[in-house]
Amino acid sequence: MPQPETDPIAALGEVDPKKVGKEEFVALLEAASEIAGSGTPVDLSALRPEQFARLISRASDAQIEAVMERPELRERILDEVFRRMGEHYKAEKASSIEAVVRWRIGTEDDLLRYECVLAGGQCTVSKEPQHEPRVTITTPPADFLKLASGNASAPMLFMTGKLKVAGDLGFAAGLTKLFQIPKA
């Protein structure tokens, strides 16, 4: 496949993972991530949520796993997903909800933590846990990406042991209804 001559962020929105190999897929995401982390002005929001959902839906498990195996790339992608959570929070459905959701993405040896404070109709995300969580959700990075992009079902991930919940299970079961999950 010829290398795109546009910037890698824009190219991500156009790539079809089924038409590139695992290494090419990782290289494209790495190039976009490096630009995003370089201090060069770049608008990661140029990759619309629907494009991200399509990218994940068309990528093979091996491609997603290969991307998530790169610690810096994994963190940048997850940081961007969590940064956007506030934008996708359905304030009209959640105006009376007061809760803290702690996310643990990865394994005990290699874990990224995020905290979502749901209060006053807003979702505020931090990487530094500061509050007592109502629920803590633990999942591997690739499964989280599938969940966040509408390409996996939380109940199915839970039933197969790929998503673990500690705390208020009932609240966790309705959590996805509080967010506008992008469609591919």
Side-chain angles (χ1 to χ4, degrees):
M1 177 179 147
Q3 292 297 333
E5 294 187 31
T6 61
D7 87 63
I9 303 294
L12 275 177
E14 303 303 320
V15 74
D16 183 352
K18 291 191 182 292
K19 295 182 179 178
V20 298
K22 181 171 68 173
E23 291 77 20
E24 290 172 292
F25 185 70
V26 171
L28 188 58
L29 284 166
E30 251 178 352
S33 177
E34 285 173 14
I35 287 175
S38 71
T40 302
V42 65
D43 184 7
L44 285 176
S45 66
L47 184 63
R48 295 185 322 273
E50 300 78 26
Q51 290 174 308
F52 178 73
R54 179 181 176 275
L55 192 67
I56 299 302
S57 75
R58 306 254 326 144
S60 69
D61 287 347
Q63 287 172 315
I64 295 171
E65 290 292 339
V67 168
M68 293 291 100
E69 286 172 2
R70 310 261 177 123
E72 187 174 299
L73 187 54
R74 175 180 57 239
E75 186 167 3
R76 283 200 181 129
I77 291 170
L78 292 175
D79 283 356
E80 180 63 16
V81 170
F82 277 96
R83 184 195 67 75
R84 292 182 184 202
M85 276 191 165
E87 298 170 16
H88 295 279
Y89 190 60
K90 295 180 181 177
E92 70 282 354
K93 289 195 176 215
S95 60
S96 64
I97 291 179
E98 302 279 329
V100 174
V101 179
R102 185 157 306 146
W103 294 88
R104 300 176 51 178
I105 314 293
T107 63
E108 288 301 322
D109 297 335
D110 189 15
L111 197 60
L112 290 171
R113 292 176 174 87
Y114 297 88
E115 180 177 90
C116 296
V117 177
L118 311 177
Q122 295 185 350
C123 171
T124 307
V125 176
S126 169
K127 288 181 81 171
E128 300 295 325
Q130 301 171 2
H131 304 88
E132 186 65 31
R134 180 170 179 180
V135 65
T136 299
I137 301 171
T138 305
T139 188
D143 291 315
F144 174 77
L145 282 185
K146 291 175 187 176
L147 181 64
S149 63
N151 291 295
S153 154
M156 187 60 71
L157 290 175
F158 180 77
M159 289 188 302
T160 58
K162 294 179 179 179
L163 186 137
K164 294 179 174 46
V165 177
D168 188 340
L169 190 59
F171 175 74
L175 194 57
T176 57
K177 293 178 181 148
L178 300 179
F179 293 89
Q180 178 64 41
I181 308 291
K183 301 283 187 248

